[in-house]
C-alpha cells in the first residue's frame, strides 16, 4: 500500500475495491475448508477461532459493565477470559453467551463488508481489533499468538497487492464462517463424554436454568445461520440453486 499522508490512507481504507472473480471466491472458500476440516490443520488454525471466541467474551463483558481483568490463550487452543462483576444477571449471561457465537458473527460482519467492496476496511478493522485485544493478554503464549496473527494481517494489508489482499480477506471471512461451526460440534462431543463440565453451555445452564444442550443448539443455529447468510452475501445468487423447483 503506497500512501503519502493520513488523508490518503483514510481514503484508501474507506474506499471500495472491485468485485473479485468467482474463481477467487470459490478458491478462498475451498482453502478455508481445508483450514477447518482436516484435524492436523485444525489443531493449528483453531488458534484464530479461539482468539475470536475470547475476544467475544471480552467485548461483551466490557459492553455490559463488567470489569475485564485479562485474557489468556493456551497452546492447546483453549483460552480463558476473566472479568469481574455480579456472578449472575444479564451481564454475566451475555458474557458467557458471546464466546461460541463470536467467530460466526465476526465472519458475518466481514461478509457484509466484503459484499459491499470494503476489502481494505475489513483488513484494517482486523488489525485494530487484534491490537486492542493484545492490550488485555496476560500470558506469553497469548502475546505470541496475537502478535503473529496481527503481523500477518498487517503485512498483507500494507505490503500485498490488491489481488492478494482480496484473496486473504475472503479466505479469512470464509474461515470464520466455517470455523464458527466446528467448535459447536466439538463442544457437544466433549460434553457427551463428561469432559467439559465448565463449558460456556453448562455455565449458561447454571445461570439461567435452561439445559446446556439447548444452549449448544442455540450456538449451532447461530453458527450455521451466519454461514448460510454470509455465503449468500459473498456469492450473491448462489442460494437460488438451493431452492426447490416450483410445481
Amino acid at each position: 500500500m503506497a500512501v503519502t499522508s493520513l488523508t490518503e490512507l483514510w481514503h484508501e481504507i474507506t474506499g471500495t475495491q472491485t468485485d473479485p472473480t468467482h474463481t477467487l471466491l470459490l478458491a478462498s472458500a475451498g482453502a478455508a475448508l481445508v483450514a477447518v476440516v482436516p484435524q492436523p490443520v485444525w489443531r493449528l488454525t483453531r488458534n484464530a477461532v479461539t482468539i475470536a471466541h475470547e475476544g467475544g467474551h471480552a467485548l461483551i463483558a466490557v459492553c455490559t459493565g463488567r470489569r475485564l481483568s485479562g485474557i489468556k490463550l493456551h497452546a492447546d487452543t483453549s483460552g480463558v477470559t476473566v472479568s469481574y462483576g455480579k456472578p449472575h444477571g444479564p451481564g454475566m449471561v451475555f458474557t458467557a453467551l458471546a464466546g461460541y457465537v463470536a467467530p460466526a458473527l465476526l465472519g458475518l460482519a466481514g461478509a457484509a463488508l466484503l459484499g459491499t467492496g470494503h476489502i481494505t476496511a475489513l483488513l484494517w478493522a482486523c488489525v485494530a481489533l487484534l491490537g486492542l485485544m493484545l492490550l488485555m493478554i496476560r500470558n506469553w503464549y497469548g502475546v505470541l499468538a496475537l502478535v503473529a496473527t496481527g503481523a500477518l494481517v498487517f503485512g498483507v494489508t500494507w505490503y500485498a497487492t490488491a489481488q492478494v489482499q482480496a484473496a486473504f480477506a475472503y479466505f479469512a471471512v470464509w474461515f470464520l464462517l466455517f470455523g464458527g461451526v466446528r467448535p459447536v460440534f466439538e463442544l457437544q462431543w466433549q460434553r457427551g463424554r463428561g469432559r467439559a463440565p465448565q463449558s460456556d453451555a453448562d455455565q449458561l445452564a447454571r445461570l439461567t436454568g435452561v439445559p446446556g444442550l439447548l444452549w449448544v443448539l442455540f450456538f449451532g443455529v447461530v453458527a450455521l445461520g451466519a454461514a448460510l447468510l454470509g455465503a449468500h452475501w459473498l456469492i450473491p445468487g448462489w442460494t437460488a440453486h438451493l431452492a426447490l423447483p416450483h410445481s
Side-chain angles (χ1 to χ4, degrees), residues 25 28 31 38 43 79 82 106 113 184 195 207-208 215 243:
L25 287 171
S28 60
R43 290 194 190 101
V82 179
L106 284 172
L113 282 173
V184 179
R195 298 182 183 179
L207 288 166
T208 65
W215 286 112

Side-chain angles (χ1 to χ4, degrees), residues 29-221:
L33 281 174
V34 171
V36 170
V37 175
Q39 183 63 23
V41 180
W42 178 243
R43 290 194 190 101
L44 175 64
T45 58
R46 198 183 194 282
N47 284 281
V49 175
T50 301
I51 289 172
H53 179 112
E54 299 304 330
H57 282 313
L59 175 63
I60 299 304
V62 172
C63 290
T64 57
R66 297 181 62 80
R67 183 166 62 86
L68 184 62
S69 175
I71 304 168
K72 291 183 179 181
L73 306 173
H74 303 298
D76 63 356
T77 72
S78 65
V80 61
T81 298
V82 179
S83 63
Y84 294 100
K86 292 182 179 180
H88 50 78
M92 188 63 200
V93 170
F94 284 115
T95 298
L97 178 65
Y100 276 96
V101 301
L105 294 181
L106 284 172
L108 187 61
L113 282 173
L114 294 183
T116 55
H118 290 92
I119 294 172
T120 305
L122 170 68
L123 294 173
W124 277 105
C126 290
V127 171
L129 290 172
L130 289 168
L132 289 173
M133 190 172 174
L134 182 61
L135 299 176
M136 298 308 301
I137 292 294
R138 296 294 182 263
N139 68 325
W140 284 111
Y141 182 82
V143 170
L144 176 63
L146 260 295
V147 169
T149 305
L152 173 63
V153 179
F154 178 79
V156 171
T157 304
W158 192 259
Y159 296 108
T161 64
Q163 291 79 7
V164 173
Q165 288 183 9
F168 182 83
Y170 276 88
F171 165 79
V173 169
W174 283 119
F175 173 77
L176 286 172
L177 292 173
F178 297 150
V181 176
R182 179 165 179 171
V184 179
F185 289 92
E186 293 176 336
L187 169 62
Q188 187 54 32
W189 185 87
Q190 292 173 340
R191 291 184 72 250
R193 286 155 181 77
R195 298 182 183 179
Q198 299 301 320
S199 72
D200 292 354
D202 293 288
Q203 290 184 48
L204 285 163
R206 289 190 288 271
L207 288 166
T208 65
V210 177
L213 178 59
L214 292 183
W215 286 112
V216 176
L217 290 174
F218 175 78
F219 297 155
V221 168

